[in-house]
Amino acid sequence: EAGVAQSPRYKIIEKRQSVAFWCNPISGHATLYWYQQILGQGPKLLIQFQNNGVVDDSQLPKDRFSAERLKGVDSTLKIQPAKLEDSAVYLCASSFTASGNTIYFGEGSWLTVV
Amino acid sequence: QKEVEQDPGPLSVPEGAIVSLNCTYSNSAFQYFMWYRQYSRKGPELLMYTYSSGNKEDGRFTAQVDKSSKYISLFIRDSQPSDSATYLCAMNYGGSQGNLIFGKGTKLSVKP
């Protein structure tokens, strides 16, 4: 069974530029999450989708971050404009149900903002 | 007080040792408790999850939950150099709130 796919794996951009990350969850998983992991910290939820609807985006900095899951499968996370403090790993995860006791993560997209 | 506290280590042990990793939490509403392993430059990998208080065993790994003390543990028996990684505890409220609240992670090094 294929895991959660993410791209690009690595990205370096200058501050105030924009960047987009793509995620394809495990087949059949209705719930998709984007987490941000800053070096030395545990992952922190940015947004949770159930199919193509948003369940929780309370920790998403909406002035610069946006995410969509238009057809209930793939998802894109965008940052515009990027700040230095956005340097982190952006992890996509998915689970079969919203109760999410088995959440599987992708390899992550590593962002450096210079 | 953070919702989930985890000693970041680093923790260094000799090969074959028993490793004990721990987390405490403050919110008694947490229902599910997980342990993830994260290798350098990789995403977190689910090791185990538990729902109720008590022990759950899977090979060399044992997860323990004590809801009365708000304390969870992961034990690794016969530790191997391949176990060297960061171990993250995580928990959630269940229901529709599936998002995980993570500890900071403990970096473990098993020396041959």
Side-chain angles (χ1 to χ4, degrees), chain A residues 59-100:
Chain A
Q59 298 187 89
L60 186 73
K62 297 181 185 65
D63 57 334
R64 297 183 301 105
F65 287 65
S66 65
E68 60 183 14
R69 193 184 185 199
L70 292 175
K71 296 183 179 179
V73 180
D74 294 9
S75 177
T76 302
L77 176 71
K78 296 179 182 177
I79 307 173
Q80 181 179 18
K83 291 186 174 181
L84 296 177
E85 58 261 37
D86 298 332
S87 295
V89 185
Y90 292 87
L91 295 160
C92 181
S94 70
S95 61
F96 185 69
T97 65
S99 62

Side-chain angles (χ1 to χ4, degrees), chain B residues 9 28-29 33-35 54 63 68 73 78-79 82 90 95 103 106-107 109-110 112:
Chain B
S28 57
F33 305 89
M34 295 83 169
W35 285 96
S68 62
S73 300
D78 188 25
S79 57
S82 58
T106 300
K107 187 168 185 177
S109 178
V110 181

Side-chain angles (χ1 to χ4, degrees), chain B residues 34-111:
Chain B
M34 295 83 169
W35 285 96
Y36 283 83
R37 176 174 63 194
Q38 188 173 28
Y39 291 114
S40 181
R41 294 275 170 180
K42 298 288 188 181
E45 172 194 6
L46 180 63
L47 281 176
M48 301 181 72
Y49 77 90
T50 54
Y51 173 68
S52 58
S53 284
N55 294 355
K56 183 176 181 179
E57 193 173 312
D58 184 1
R60 295 185 296 111
F61 298 90
T62 299
Q64 192 173 77
V65 174
D66 182 348
K67 286 190 174 180
S68 62
S69 301
K70 299 192 184 70
Y71 189 88
I72 67 171
S73 300
L74 178 71
F75 298 96
I76 307 174
R77 289 183 299 281
D78 188 25
S79 57
Q80 303 295 311
S82 58
D83 295 327
S84 298
T86 295
Y87 289 79
L88 295 153
C89 65
M91 45 202 78
N92 68 17
Y93 302 103
S96 64
Q97 296 297 314
N99 60 291
L100 297 171
I101 313 299
F102 281 88
K104 283 189 172 184
T106 300
K107 187 168 185 177
L108 172 67
S109 178
V110 181
K111 304 293 186 185

Side-chain angles (χ1 to χ4, degrees), chain A residues 4-7 21-25 32-34 73-76 92-93:
Chain A
V4 177
Q6 291 189 245
S7 68
F21 301 114
W22 173 84
C23 173
N24 183 240
L32 184 147
Y33 313 81
W34 284 100
V73 180
D74 294 9
S75 177
T76 302
C92 181

